[in-house]
Amino acid sequence: MSNANKKLSTASRAMIAGAMVGGGASVISRWNTYKAGDVDTHELARGAVKAALQAGAVSGVTTYAAEKMAGRPVLSMLTLVAAGTAGLYLMDQLLGSKKHDPS
């Protein structure tokens, strides 16, 4: 964030948007289990916050990296895809997600 012009940077805006999308998608994906009573409000909120933090962090970092490649559209796109994929993979590994574990 820049204090000089009081505007959010592109990476900050992407972080906020990513957090909103990630949290919303988490709530939507778990809504039926919540309504069925399989998940309580605390678990629903915790999952939404976790997803929001993950998506926000990955969105912000990938946008920041892509900004550094400005003027090179193909390289920027590849940077976004690679950094986003790597970021999501690392978040899953660090937080111990078993979603991709076949066993």
Side-chain angles (χ1 to χ4, degrees):
M1 219 167 21
S2 172
N3 291 333
N5 58 12
K6 297 187 183 202
K7 291 185 180 179
L8 291 175
S9 69
T10 306
S12 296
R13 288 192 309 262
M15 189 180 308
I16 292 167
M20 290 169 45
V21 169
S26 174
V27 170
I28 289 169
S29 69
R30 294 176 175 219
W31 188 253
N32 287 335
T33 58
Y34 170 72
K35 292 301 270 184
D38 297 333
V39 174
D40 66 0
T41 305
H42 181 71
E43 290 178 66
L44 181 71
R46 185 176 30 189
V49 168
K50 179 181 170 184
L53 291 173
Q54 286 178 326
V58 170
S59 297
V61 169
T62 54
T63 302
Y64 179 79
E67 278 182 335
K68 297 302 176 188
M69 305 294 166
R72 301 177 202 107
V74 173
L75 191 54
S76 290
M77 183 191 66
L78 292 174
T79 301
L80 280 170
V81 171
T85 303
L88 289 174
Y89 176 77
L90 288 174
M91 286 287 198
D92 280 349
Q93 295 301 312
L94 290 174
L95 297 174
S97 175
K98 300 294 183 189
K99 187 171 22 174
H100 302 294
D101 190 10
S103 59

